[in-house]
Amino acid sequence: MSTRSNTNAPLDNPWQARCAVIESVTAETPGVATYRLRFRDPQDAQRYRFRPGQFNMLYIPGVGEIAISLSAAPQIGGAGDHTIRVVGNVTRRLAALAPGETLGVRGAFGVGWPVADLRGADVVIVAGGIGLAPLRSLIYDLISQRSAFGRISVLHGARTPDELLYSREYPSWEAAGVTVQTTVDRARPDWSGCVGVVTMLVDRLPLPNVPATALLMCGPEVMMKYVARGAIARGVSTARIWCALERNMQCAVGLCGHCQLGPEFICKDGPVFRYDRVASLLSVERL
Amino acid sequence: MGDDIPSLASTTFGSNLPPDVVSALVGLFREQSVPAGATIFREGDDTDVLSVIAAGEVSLEMDVPGRGRQRLLSLGPGDLLGWSPLLGGGSMTASATALQDSVLYIASAHELRACCETNRELGFYLMHEVARSLGRRLLATRLQMLDLFCPVNAEL
Amino acid sequence: MAGYAETHGARFLQVDDLGGLIDALRSQGYTVVGPTIDQGAIVYREISSAAALPRGWTDEQQPGVYRLTQREDNAYFGFSVGPHSWKQFFFPPRTTLTTADRTADGWEFGDVEQAAPRYALLGVRACELAAIAVQDRVFLEGSYIDPVYQARRDGALIVAVNCTQAAQTCFCTSMGTGPRCTAGFDLALTEIESGFLIEIATDAGQAIADLLPTNAVEEPQQASAAVARQKAVDQITRRMDTSGIRDLLMTNLNHARWDDVAARCLSCSNCTMVCPTCFCASVNEVTDLQGDHVERERVWDSCFQLNFSYISGGAVRDQIRSRYRQWLTHKLATWIDQFGTSGCVGCGRCITWCPVGIDLTAEVAAIRETS
């Protein structure tokens, strides 16, 4: 196997965080909010590079650091949008911060979505729960060059209707030529949409041109395995399916060992992987 | 809607059956339109109908005393409704309501069973496809049960 | 085995002049670290004279057993490897990475000056040279360079020692890493009764050798040195068949042997602590009482820790079976995918220091036999 190399330029000190200011906090769904960050030092902003699918390490000194995918490309001078769900110490402390307060940012890290490989393809984007966050930056990237791609479908599943993420934005995605379908695991009485796991939406999606179809997904691993299985059963090649994986990340640069899945370092060989590279690893229990 | 209704043969159900089986069965099915909001059958009904959804969306629901009507699952083109009467198992175990204007191919369950009795080979293929359809639904139900998006409370 | 020695040659140092080597290193500003006895084991510490060396001592090692006993001779380096490896000097067990200070304008993030002593490593065995090379690949030759490792590694001088005996747990010959030192050192010593044959491999090594009262090497000394080195080869009895080992392990991830070893393994992390190539680490926050000055500290971690693979909700590897499998498959198989070499150098430390005596060579053999 050839040497694994990252397409990122090496950083001077990969451990060093840069100061970022919270520019705004947007409540999304219960327990989920999007933090828009801005680098305090314009030089840091100038040096920052980002591709859809990459992540930042957000650092609250004294509390800890977490890996968060960017849900939108940074504005000028920005450090990106980060959609975060409260699940532990760091995210809980982050939820208590207000615009104007600062934290540390390291990044951007990782391998992003393969936008260049999607040209001319019918793109199917499958998002489970908060998995839509890392895919959102891809969606906006595709929209910005809409004519370069065929059909674009977003299939999003969440637990309940009020946990469907970015629902305010769906009309603008539709207007830009992206089909959006949603489904929930558990309906509310006033929900008239689809009920069931998102794999069902994938199974039912018309695929008029299977060889030209590409599928990109992010969500719980179980969901992704069965989405892939359904797509493969319909003739989509494992070389045309990509997934975003998650593991315990501490250094984000492949030096601390925590994020390994078999030979892959999720932080630097991923988090986006072509499915044929990881399918057999994902099928081993507790690997 | 209107122009895109697939024939029975070209639904997922039909296209998984050998052509001669489809030709033998097609005479037993008739097309039925169901407007959005209409009840197709109720939980507990003793209907004698197997339906194949050709177009539209149907919601499966169960009534839970104290919680009311619980929506379980949405079914769409290619899915089966009413496997209970076909398998001879008694009454419907859920209610079915059309969420959108839908088109169904419906057949008498006991006529289909009679067909299976006299033509065992046809019976094999029909039951096989029914089993496959239920298997897909079982997997989807399991994934739903796993509650993969449930909120996590973690300390780290 | 020639090649490197041709460039700078070899010299002979009388046994009583060994202390002069340490003095010479110190005079050139090196902090000398080398073997010394502490708490019943031969460990690596800063030393300032030859008196600190474990002269006349040897070690007896078996799975789960380590004992020091006295030799019949006065050899300075008549032992194998102990619980310490040299990784502690380039990859310190605890190190501060960065700082953060709360100011009126928010957090100020600061670098930590990676000032490190210039180490002279005295007594590095062939397997350890290989281990240093393995860690060089990890920390210096990937997409990201670790500044802590780089600062310490850059100025280091390595005085290797050719083994003249082997422990029962050694298997360097199976891993192609020894017992002969062939690369990665500045000086290499072979001890015979009258003194040390010194092979000089670099200019830095030459600079040190020039400060010592050495003589040209005589033929009988060469012969004795060769005999001494051969003893190490002859004493190695443990073997690991590494043919096709990457695929052997990666196609047997559900082998029953993993359950077998899991029933014995305590998940205590000893093996990862003593292993000279293990590099897993965690990052901790260290704050003052008011939380205004915070330091990020990197500390050694182990994939055997339950929370090592924690992601929201729980650990991915929540069973010992899974954690042992992770360690062994990483060390012997996926390391090859990641870095182009095995992660194991055959030093045998994990076998000696496992409290229940798990022997990875036996585990691999068991899987190979019944795969």
Side-chain angles (χ1 to χ4, degrees):
Chain A
M1 195 166 284
S2 63
T3 315
R4 293 153 181 284
S5 66
N6 197 323
T7 47
N8 280 325
L11 303 169
D12 308 42
N13 179 357
W15 293 106
Q16 188 53 272
R18 310 285 171 205
C19 184
V21 182
I22 298 176
E23 201 170 87
S24 64
V25 181
T26 307
E28 301 283 359
T29 59
V32 179
T34 296
Y35 297 79
R36 175 162 294 183
L37 303 181
R38 185 188 81 242
F39 284 110
R40 192 179 58 194
D41 184 343
Q43 269 200 359
D44 292 332
Q46 254 173 32
R47 292 164 51 168
Y48 186 75
R49 296 281 176 274
F50 163 75
R51 286 186 303 279
Q54 288 190 302
F55 65 96
N56 281 335
M57 294 301 280
L58 300 188
Y59 174 41
I60 302 183
V63 186
E65 209 181 28
I66 42 172
I68 303 287
S69 296
L70 282 93
S71 52
Q75 317 283 301
I76 310 285
D81 283 2
H82 306 76
T83 301
I84 300 173
R85 183 164 78 165
V86 174
V87 293
N89 284 344
V90 181
T91 48
R92 202 167 298 127
R93 179 67 80 90
L94 186 54
L97 297 182
E101 297 196 67
T102 60
L103 60 155
V105 172
R106 295 195 291 132
F109 296 113
V111 174
W113 299 108
V115 179
D117 292 337
L118 303 177
R119 298 203 164 269
D122 285 348
V123 180
V124 179
I125 292 172
V126 185
I130 196 142
L132 184 54
L135 285 164
R136 178 167 170 266
S137 53
L138 171 68
I139 292 167
Y140 279 112
D141 204 41
L142 299 181
I143 286 176
S144 74
Q145 333 158 56
R146 181 66 186 89
S147 55
F149 311 98
R151 298 175 169 216
I152 303 178
S153 315
V154 172
L155 310 177
H156 176 43
R159 191 168 191 261
T160 64
D162 43 339
E163 287 168 75
L164 289 167
L165 199 49
Y166 311 126
S167 48
R168 291 185 298 265
E169 297 170 42
Y170 302 158
S172 72
W173 299 356
E174 296 263 8
V178 172
T179 323
V180 181
Q181 290 181 49
T182 58
T183 185
V184 297
D185 283 0
R186 276 152 176 63
R188 294 271 143 81
D190 56 351
W191 173 252
S192 57
C194 192
V195 178
V197 289
V198 71
T199 51
M200 285 179 0
L201 294 183
V202 181
D203 289 341
R204 289 185 203 146
L205 186 72
L207 299 179
N209 190 351
V210 168
T213 299
L215 189 146
L216 306 108
M217 54 184 179
C218 182
E221 247 172 62
V222 176
M223 178 212 95
M224 289 198 288
K225 274 174 14 190
Y226 285 99
V227 166
R229 199 175 96 142
I232 291 162
R234 295 180 69 185
V236 181
S237 160
T238 53
R240 296 296 285 164
I241 298 173
W242 285 265
C243 57
L245 299 180
E246 186 195 357
R247 282 292 184 275
N248 183 309
M249 287 199 213
Q250 301 206 14
C251 70
V253 293
L255 291 174
C256 77
H258 283 258
C259 70
Q260 291 174 84
L261 170 66
E264 312 290 349
F265 288 94
I266 304 300
C267 68
K268 74 171 172 71
D269 301 318
V272 174
F273 287 95
R274 210 172 75 179
Y275 198 67
D276 56 352
R277 182 162 163 177
V278 293
S280 60
L281 301 171
L282 291 174
S283 67
V284 180
E285 208 185 312
R286 296 178 165 93
L287 192 65
Chain B
M1 187 157 90
D3 46 339
D4 273 304
I5 317 288
S7 64
L8 181 69
S10 48
T11 59
T12 319
F13 173 79
S15 58
N16 283 339
L17 296 170
D20 54 329
V21 172
V22 178
S23 338
L25 291 177
V26 77
L28 298 174
F29 283 87
R30 63 179 176 82
E31 194 180 306
Q32 176 170 72
S33 294
V34 183
T39 301
I40 300 169
F41 52 76
R42 280 201 179 77
E43 192 183 344
D45 279 356
D46 258 321
T47 54
D48 174 48
V49 174
L50 176 82
S51 311
V52 179
I53 302 175
E57 198 178 328
V58 173
S59 167
L60 285 186
E61 298 153 7
M62 284 173 80
D63 187 62
V64 180
R67 298 216 314 240
R69 269 280 180 101
Q70 299 292 298
R71 288 195 54 202
L72 300 171
L73 198 60
S74 298
L75 301 179
D79 288 324
L80 294 182
L81 281 173
W83 46 268
S84 296
L86 177 66
L87 301 183
S91 50
M92 296 307 202
T93 57
S95 304
T97 311
L99 284 176
Q100 303 168 12
D101 291 341
S102 302
V103 176
L104 312 176
Y105 289 110
I106 66 174
S108 151
H110 84 263
E111 270 179 30
L112 283 173
R113 273 215 316 280
C115 222
C116 295
E117 291 286 345
T118 52
N119 184 345
R120 291 297 168 95
E121 194 179 314
L122 177 147
F124 163 76
Y125 284 112
L126 178 62
M127 290 302 171
H128 186 226
E129 179 50 27
V130 170
R132 278 233 294 261
S133 176
L134 292 182
R136 285 196 298 271
R137 198 176 306 176
L138 182 58
L139 174 61
T141 306
R142 281 181 185 159
L143 291 175
Q144 239 175 317
M145 265 184 68
L146 283 178
D147 200 11
L148 294 170
F149 308 132
C150 80
V152 170
N153 239 320
E155 291 303 320
L156 188 67
Chain C
M1 290 302 163
Y4 62 86
E6 303 297 318
T7 56
H8 290 81
R11 302 287 294 173
F12 190 80
L13 184 73
Q14 297 295 323
V15 64
D16 291 336
D17 292 331
L18 183 63
L21 170 58
I22 296 176
D23 293 338
L25 291 167
R26 285 163 61 87
S27 76
Q28 297 303 296
Y30 288 104
T31 301
V32 180
V33 290
T36 192
I37 293 179
D38 184 23
Q39 297 173 70
I42 296 175
V43 300
Y44 298 139
R45 287 265 150 77
E46 185 176 344
I47 58 173
S48 50
S49 76
L53 296 171
R55 191 174 193 189
W57 287 91
T58 188
D59 49 31
E60 286 170 8
Q61 304 193 36
Q62 290 167 51
V65 177
Y66 180 96
R67 294 283 183 275
L68 291 186
T69 59
Q70 289 207 282
R71 299 174 62 87
E72 282 167 4
D73 62 23
N74 253 340
Y76 272 102
F77 297 105
F79 50 90
S80 299
V81 297
H84 281 191
S85 68
W86 303 98
K87 75 178 183 183
Q88 62 176 299
F89 301 109
F90 302 140
F91 167 53
R94 188 183 293 271
T95 189
T96 302
L97 296 170
T98 60
T99 61
D101 287 283
R102 202 196 297 270
T103 71
D105 289 327
W107 289 104
E108 281 300 326
F109 295 102
D111 259 320
V112 169
E113 183 57 54
Q114 292 298 343
R118 270 173 76 224
Y119 286 115
L121 276 53
L122 174 63
V124 182
R125 306 310 174 106
C127 60
E128 301 181 305
L129 294 172
I132 290 170
V134 167
Q135 286 214 330
D136 285 350
R137 293 282 277 257
V138 174
F139 288 113
L140 301 178
E141 296 171 34
S143 316
Y144 298 95
I145 294 173
D146 180 59
V148 176
Y149 190 93
Q150 182 176 54
R152 285 160 172 74
R153 181 75 176 94
D154 271 352
L157 184 118
I158 296 183
V159 181
V161 162
N162 281 305
C163 291
T164 54
Q165 59 147 62
Q168 266 194 55
T169 46
C170 293
F171 60 101
C172 61
T173 48
S174 296
M175 305 312 294
T177 57
R180 184 84 151 93
C181 298
T182 57
F185 56 84
D186 296 286
L187 299 170
L189 311 180
T190 306
E191 183 172 15
I192 60 178
E193 198 176 333
S194 56
F196 302 89
L197 189 80
I198 306 183
E199 289 159 310
I200 305 163
T202 65
D203 293 342
Q206 184 72 63
I208 298 297
D210 287 343
L211 301 174
L212 305 177
T214 59
N215 301 108
V217 180
E218 290 161 24
E219 185 44 48
Q221 293 164 337
Q222 281 278 26
S224 294
V227 167
R229 288 192 297 262
Q230 186 59 37
K231 285 194 351 222
V233 177
D234 295 339
Q235 288 175 17
I236 293 174
T237 53
R238 198 166 298 266
R239 301 263 184 268
M240 183 157 78
D241 180 0
T242 59
S243 46
I245 194 170
R246 189 235 169 249
D247 287 344
L248 172 69
L249 293 180
M250 297 314 283
T251 57
N252 279 294
L253 295 173
N254 286 313
H255 197 282
R257 188 70 187 192
W258 301 117
D259 295 300
D260 188 294
V261 69
R264 291 173 276 136
C265 172
L266 306 177
S267 202
C268 71
S269 304
N270 263 17
C271 49
T272 56
M273 294 292 107
V274 299
C275 174
T277 63
C278 273
F279 62 87
C280 283
S282 280
V283 188
N284 295 334
E285 303 299 300
V286 182
T287 79
D288 65 2
L289 279 180
Q290 287 169 312
D292 290 336
H293 175 77
V294 182
E295 294 184 357
R296 300 211 79 198
E297 199 179 56
R298 182 186 67 184
V299 297
W300 286 4
D301 200 348
S302 170
C303 57
F304 281 97
Q305 294 297 298
L306 176 58
N307 65 357
F308 186 81
S309 59
Y310 183 89
I311 49 177
S312 24
V316 173
R317 300 184 202 114
D318 58 352
Q319 292 181 342
I320 293 182
R321 171 190 183 274
S322 157
R323 297 199 292 277
Y324 186 87
R325 177 182 66 189
Q326 165 62 22
W327 179 70
L328 195 65
T329 55
H330 186 209
K331 192 62 57 186
L332 300 178
T334 60
W335 203 293
I336 300 171
D337 297 317
Q338 295 169 346
F339 303 107
T341 68
S342 178
C344 177
V345 298
C347 71
R349 284 181 177 88
C350 57
I351 305 171
T352 296
W353 293 95
C354 173
V356 296
I358 293 170
D359 174 359
L360 79 172
T361 68
E363 298 307 312
V364 169
I367 292 176
R368 193 184 286 280
E369 206 176 319
T370 55
S371 69

